Amino acid sequence: MPKTLLALTLFLLSISFVSRAIAGPGLPADFEPDPAIPTPAEVLGFEPGEWHPRHDQVVDYLTQLAERSDRVNMEILGQTHGERPLPLLVFASPETLAEIDQIAADRQSQALAGEGPAVIWLGYSVHGNEASGASAALVTAWYLAASNDPEVLAWLDDLVIVMEPVLNPDGLDRFAHWVNMHRGRHPVADPADREHNEAWPNGRTNYYWFDLNRDWLPLVHPESRLRAAQLQRWMPHVLTDHHEMGPNTTYFFQPGVPERNNPLTPERNYELTAEIAQFHARILDEAGEAYFTRELFDDYYLGKGSTYPDLTGGIGILFEQGSSRGHLQDTVYGPRSFTDAVANQVRTSISTLQAGHALADELIAYQAEFFRTAREDARASRGAGWVLGDGNDPVRAHQLVDLLLAHGIEVRPTTDIVRIDGQDYAPGSAWVIRADQNQYRFLRSVFDLVTDPGMDVFYDVSAWPLALSYGLPLTEVRRLPASGDPLSEVPGHPLTPPVTDPVAWLVRWDQYGATPLLAALLAEGYRVQAVTEPVLTRIDGEEKRLVAGSLVMHPGMQPEELPSLADRLSELARQHRVEVVAAESGLVMEGPDFGAPSVPVLRAPKVAMLTGDGVRPNHAGYIWHWFDTRLEQSLTRLDWQRLWRVDLSNYTHLIIADGQYDMMPGWAVDQITRFVRQGGTLIAARNASTWVERLDLDWAFVGEDDNGAIDEVPERRPYGDFQGDFARQLIGGSALNVVLDTSHPLAFGYSEAEAVTFRRGAHRLSSLNNAYSRAAVYSDDPLAAGFMSAENRERLAGATALDLSHHGQGRVIRMADDFLFRGYWLGTERLFANALFFSPLVRPTQLPPWAQ
């Protein structure tokens, strides 16, 4: 090639490269940015898609953008658990931003009246390792701040655009660190390369390994709680939720699988979603990108980012980009770069704004119609609302009331005593929730106990009954009792400070704050006893009954070197809102006296949990989070691959969370077995509760027939039915009724024998050949809410849900269900706490052979 031609070719290539770099991935080719506005590359030091930006780099760029552009407002809402800032941006014309506070203040009234500008909310990367969204947020933000295209200026004039650039900063940083440290000068596209296969627990989850795209309802984490307040403030008409999926896929946008959408979502929502989809299809078609819209994904569970708006007045849109899971990866569709993934997320951000602007009148009218028809449906229903009681645990009830308020639900205190179905609801301990309010559909979703949802395949859970999860009484009523003004915040819970010189201090174990109080006292070396059966005693001149597990603290038996127990109890009672009362005497009216051998001194547990490959990060995260934020105690996390370096005898309890442990080598299995035989307590939950049955611990199970034997050729069924048949046999997430043995230490603190647990998975525990071992069994009709096939209902009816068995000098506790599910199943947290504190109280109960 002649030198002149070569030079011209190189020049043209360089011009083409610069043009693409300036335009940014996914932006229109004719984009001419305002040179006064910094580009992402000028701040990051690389073009979007070349590297994965850390969260601090994202915030730095957006901060500079807000400082340089009069189209952008940015505020920091708060921090994640990992102390990373949570920015929120608002884009509009300078004239609109000058009035933005008033616009926000008027949003509630405008939403009901069908007035005001359309609000479009763009949200990115709730899963940290689905990182193309975060980079797309930077490119989209630059485009909105720097473009003078008439179309963009019209958006800024007529819309309010809210952007949440990174929903999961902690997970994003974990993933960015992983893929960046494995990026070579020559990216490796081989899917088997280390870059594309993250180490445990990976970047999908948040700081405590929770899936934040399941937290839109429970609001356990600061990212979700802070967002909820902004959703109430802005009430968006459209909310986008940008994700990634497996590499060997293309691009997904809704409407999704129509048969698997939430039945409470209005039909008009689907019509508008389909109209919006036309804009996504057009922009992707122009780019030559493939996509699909009606497979894999649904909008059923309220607590997901694309479903929550559908049941609260907006339209949620899920986007799923086939991932590069790094910088470059081979797929069945050819090589896919991170830049490619970012580009599609930018394109659908633009198409969302195009749709929001073109359909603004319809979207505004739909939101007003949503709230109007919600109230009409409420008035037409047979129920006037619900009455919620505190279940004799004000702290737990106040947490649920606080959650409802965070979702914009009107809650009123009762002013008269009312008795419903044998349950007393009294002022100060009961609340009225009217059906006739804007979020009636939300209330039906969280309060109705649906056991026939009309479908049998679910992308996520099939039930989320809030009152059952908190273990609180809730009754739907046809006539509302008298009530006061709507609450704006959770009412206070007045407590009387403990007396300083009692015979003994007493703490009821059925109080939510009793577990962290006990944990603190034992960790600090104080001597605490527990009653092992219900006690009737006199307190303040009245007869009071204490549930089994209630705590007894004698001032005279405390170690002299410790600070005053009276002062420490007063501090802990105030911190955890626990009622501490004084015993009038060591003699009781019923049950063991407070100095009896059957009121033993408890030991401080020292607990470890297995982590590493095969362990389900979400479930391990629920446990870590509970220890760290609820129990306020440390939890040692042991990668099982390194167990050979650990002396397990240093721990009293070893927790095995849900997971797949078949890969665990024999030496590790033997080490766990020795831990139990030598006196340790093993707690195994969910699938791990059946895996431990393989340990060489001389199990004594009841003999059962081999139900898996095939005596006949099975009836022929269509091949195409397999996926549905298989899914129906799973239990993806349902609430199940269990019957507790309240005399068993693992069930201490429950005055009633009925409780509701959360079940995922179709596993069934083998039954121990011991009549006294089962602290909880499933009821004869186990399904409380959600979907479960008739076959699984029959399999689990009467089966073990929680038991303890002795092996050598140690114990194994099997928990079939998730007692700490997603951080909001407060009603069964005590079962987990009992396994820590009261398992040493469980004595062997095997009868002699002649008595069996």
Side-chain angles (χ1 to χ4, degrees), residues 157-212:
D157 283 338
D158 301 333
L159 304 174
V160 172
I161 303 167
V162 182
M163 177 184 286
E164 195 175 6
V166 183
L167 278 72
N168 180 6
D170 295 334
L172 183 84
D173 270 5
R174 275 206 306 275
F175 182 65
H177 176 71
W178 178 267
V179 293
N180 285 339
M181 77 176 184
H182 292 103
R183 180 190 186 277
R185 296 181 181 181
H186 304 282
V188 179
D190 185 348
D193 184 67
R194 182 172 169 81
E195 177 185 359
H196 309 302
N197 297 276
E198 297 169 80
W200 195 94
N202 75 47
R204 175 183 175 89
T205 53
N206 81 334
Y207 188 85
Y208 285 107
W209 311 335
F210 278 62
D211 187 336
L212 286 179

Side-chain angles (χ1 to χ4, degrees), residues 46 182 244 260 267 269 380 398 478 512 656 777 781 818:
F46 54 87
H182 292 103
E244 293 180 8
R260 284 163 42 193
E267 185 62 31
N269 180 292
H398 287 175
R478 301 184 66 176
Y512 185 72
I656 305 183
V777 298
D781 185 10
D818 193 343

Side-chain angles (χ1 to χ4, degrees), residues 162 294 330 362 373 506 553 666 766:
V162 182
R294 288 182 172 83
D330 288 331
E362 291 92 330
T373 57
L506 308 174
M553 292 145 286
S766 299

